[in-house]
Amino acid sequence: MSQKPVCIAQISDLHIKQPGALAYGRVDTAKALERCVAALNEFAPAPDFVVISGDLADTPTAEEYEHLKRLLAPLKLPFGSIPGNHDSREMMRAAFPASNHAQFSVPLNQRIEVAGLDLLLLDSSVPGKPHGQLDPSTLEWLDGTLSSTPQRPALIFLHHPPFKTGIWHMDRQNLLNADALAAVVRRYPRIRLIATGHVHRATLTMFAGVPTTICPAPNHAVDLDLAELREPSFKVEPPAFHLHAWFPGESFGTLVTHQVPISQFDGPHPFFGPDGKLL
Ligand SMILES: [Fe+2]
C-alpha cells in the first residue's frame, strides 16, 4: 500500500433552512447534509480537513445557522467555511466564533495550514448581492499571505467561480473581478488548485494557469442549460462532494480531485480471489 496523500474534502452550497422547511418548497437540504456528513465520517482514509465553500444557510437567518450547527455537530472531521451569496458574514462570524478569520468586520478570509499545505479561504460574497467580488483588502491579504510562506503548496477556495460555465443565469453572477484574482494567482506557481462552488455542479477548467473546479452539492444541481433553453431551473441529480488529494513531489507536488458520490452503493468487492486470480 502506498502512503496516504493529504486529503481535503470540499462540500458546498448546503442551503440549510429552518427545521422542517424545504428549499424552493421541494428539496430537503437538511436530510441531504445529514447524508453528506455520514458519508464524510465513513470515508476511509479519513480526510484531513473539510472546506465548506459557501451558501451554508439559505435566507439567511440566525435560526438557519443554529440548524446548520446541529446538523454539522456529528461531523468528526475539522472544518472551515467561507460565505456564499446566501450567507451573512455577521451571522457566520457569530456561528463559528473559533474560526481564525484574518480581519475583523471585513471579509471572512482565512489561512489554514493542513499537513504542510496552505488552504486559503477567500470571502467573495457581496452583502445583499448574488454575484461575487473580491475586496481590495482580500486581494491584498491573498498576495501578502502567498508571499509570506513561499515554500508551501497552496489551495485557494472561494464561493464564486472566476470563469463562465455556459449556464447563462449563473454566469452573470459569478466572480465579477476575476481578472484581479488572476493577476495575483499568476505570480505564485505554488497555487495547485482553485476550488469554488455556487453552481452546484462538478465542473473543471483552467484559470490563470491553474486547474479550477466547481464542487457539486449534496442536494440539488443547477440545471445544465447551455443554450438559454429554459428559465433558471434546478434539478435533483446525484449528490456528491469533492476530495482533493495532494501528493508530495517536485514543484509543489501533484493535486488530484476526485468526485465522491453520496449514497449507499454495493461494494467495495475484491477483484481477486485468495489464489490471486481474477474473480
Ligand atoms: Fe451561491
Side-chain angles (χ1 to χ4, degrees):
M1 297 273 176
S2 62
Q3 209 192 342
K4 168 192 167 302
V6 179
C7 290
I8 309 298
Q10 181 188 5
I11 65 176
S12 200
D13 297 84
L14 311 180
H15 289 268
I16 297 305
K17 300 184 75 71
Q18 61 183 24
L22 302 178
Y24 314 105
R26 206 175 266 275
V27 184
D28 190 341
T29 53
K31 262 276 170 284
L33 179 55
E34 278 177 8
R35 287 191 288 262
C36 180
V37 167
L40 288 167
N41 284 339
E42 283 164 18
F43 194 88
D48 296 278
F49 197 81
V50 180
V51 175
I52 311 175
S53 52
D55 286 358
L56 285 70
D58 191 57
T59 311
T61 63
E63 196 182 5
E64 289 177 353
Y65 286 103
E66 285 307 312
H67 191 200
L68 167 77
K69 280 164 61 176
R70 288 198 296 279
L71 292 164
L72 287 176
L75 180 61
K76 296 175 188 157
L77 308 169
F79 69 91
S81 59
I82 33 175
N85 50 298
H86 285 257
D87 289 306
S88 150
R89 286 173 176 166
E90 290 69 31
M91 289 180 198
M92 271 186 69
R93 197 189 296 280
F96 302 110
S99 299
N100 184 26
H101 295 127
Q103 300 119 328
F104 190 69
S105 76
V106 282
L108 303 188
N109 303 311
Q110 290 185 71
R111 182 181 72 79
I112 298 162
E113 191 190 336
V114 178
L117 282 181
D118 273 345
L119 309 184
L120 305 179
L121 277 55
L122 306 182
D123 181 352
S124 61
S125 69
V126 179
K129 302 284 186 202
H131 68 265
Q133 178 111 15
L134 295 171
D135 282 9
S137 66
T138 295
L139 291 162
E140 201 176 304
W141 175 84
L142 176 64
D143 201 12
T145 305
L146 283 165
S147 59
S148 67
T149 51
Q151 76 284 7
R152 287 206 288 265
L155 314 185
I156 290 178
F157 292 85
L158 73 163
H159 181 69
H160 295 84
F163 63 91
K164 290 202 188 308
T165 60
I167 303 173
W168 60 281
H169 59 98
M170 296 307 290
D171 290 344
R172 67 186 179 195
Q173 51 171 280
N174 66 2
L175 186 75
L176 295 194
N177 62 341
D179 288 352
L181 174 62
V184 177
V185 167
R186 286 189 196 284
R187 289 205 287 277
Y188 298 97
R190 73 188 188 101
I191 301 169
R192 308 310 289 154
L193 173 75
I194 300 171
T196 73
H198 194 45
V199 188
H200 297 225
R201 305 199 63 85
T203 306
L204 167 67
T205 191
M206 293 290 281
F207 173 78
V210 177
T212 300
T213 55
I214 300 174
C215 183
N219 38 53
H220 51 287
V222 173
D223 178 33
L224 185 56
D225 177 3
L226 299 177
E228 251 185 87
L229 299 173
R230 296 173 285 278
E231 289 300 302
S233 306
F234 68 89
K235 195 171 175 182
V236 178
E237 297 186 4
F241 64 88
H242 270 173
L243 191 69
H244 307 295
W246 180 78
F247 300 84
E250 284 183 21
S251 302
F252 300 109
T254 304
L255 197 286
V256 177
T257 295
H258 296 274
Q259 178 162 320
V260 186
I262 301 168
S263 189
Q264 296 296 323
F265 297 105
D266 187 25
H269 303 293
F271 283 115
F272 301 97
D275 56 0
K277 291 195 173 137
L278 269 174
L279 290 166

